[in-house]
Amino acid sequence: LSDLVPIAKVDELAAGEGKVIQVRNLEVALFNVAGAFYALENTCCHRGGPLGDGTLKSNSVTCPWHMWEFELATGACVNSPGDRVRTYDVVVDGNTVMIRL
Ligand code: FES
């Protein structure tokens, strides 16, 4: 069973920005890329760096600690094939951003 959980308001997160959100016992990095929202596990699978503070590009985020780069859509690591972080489905309803847990 999966739940849609509200985690943010659309107008809290400007295009090109990311933020870290605590939801239940998880830390989720939420990004707004030109109005499209992506949610990934915040904890980098390399050494645990905060992806929510990473450098955002149109389809990836780069960890601020050692520059591993992850695809926003899949969580796949670009420069270390086979490594990945978890992603969450995002649903936007009006001004509410929800993720599926
Ligand atoms: S902790 Fe993210 S690249 Fe090392």
Side-chain angles (χ1 to χ4, degrees):
L1 229 63
S2 63
D3 273 347
L4 276 177
V5 179
I7 59 165
K9 298 296 181 192
V10 169
D11 55 17
E12 277 173 42
L13 192 58
E17 292 188 355
K19 75 185 287 187
V20 178
I21 294 158
Q22 296 277 349
V23 45
R24 298 188 181 166
N25 56 344
L26 303 169
E27 273 196 351
V28 174
L30 181 70
F31 301 101
N32 177 347
V33 179
F37 287 84
Y38 297 91
L40 286 74
E41 175 183 356
N42 185 51
T43 304
C44 178
C45 62
H46 178 221
R47 299 273 174 80
L51 295 183
D53 297 333
T55 303
L56 194 57
K57 291 198 283 194
S58 62
N59 56 9
S60 71
V61 62
T62 299
C63 179
W65 284 8
H66 318 96
M67 305 304 159
W68 281 24
E69 183 178 357
F70 297 89
E71 290 180 5
L72 293 172
T74 66
C77 185
V78 175
N79 43 337
S80 179
D83 284 308
R84 64 186 306 275
V85 293
R86 186 168 175 191
T87 58
Y88 302 93
D89 290 339
V90 178
V91 175
V92 177
D93 181 18
N95 192 35
T96 303
V97 182
M98 298 175 283
I99 61 170
R100 196 179 300 282
L101 292 181

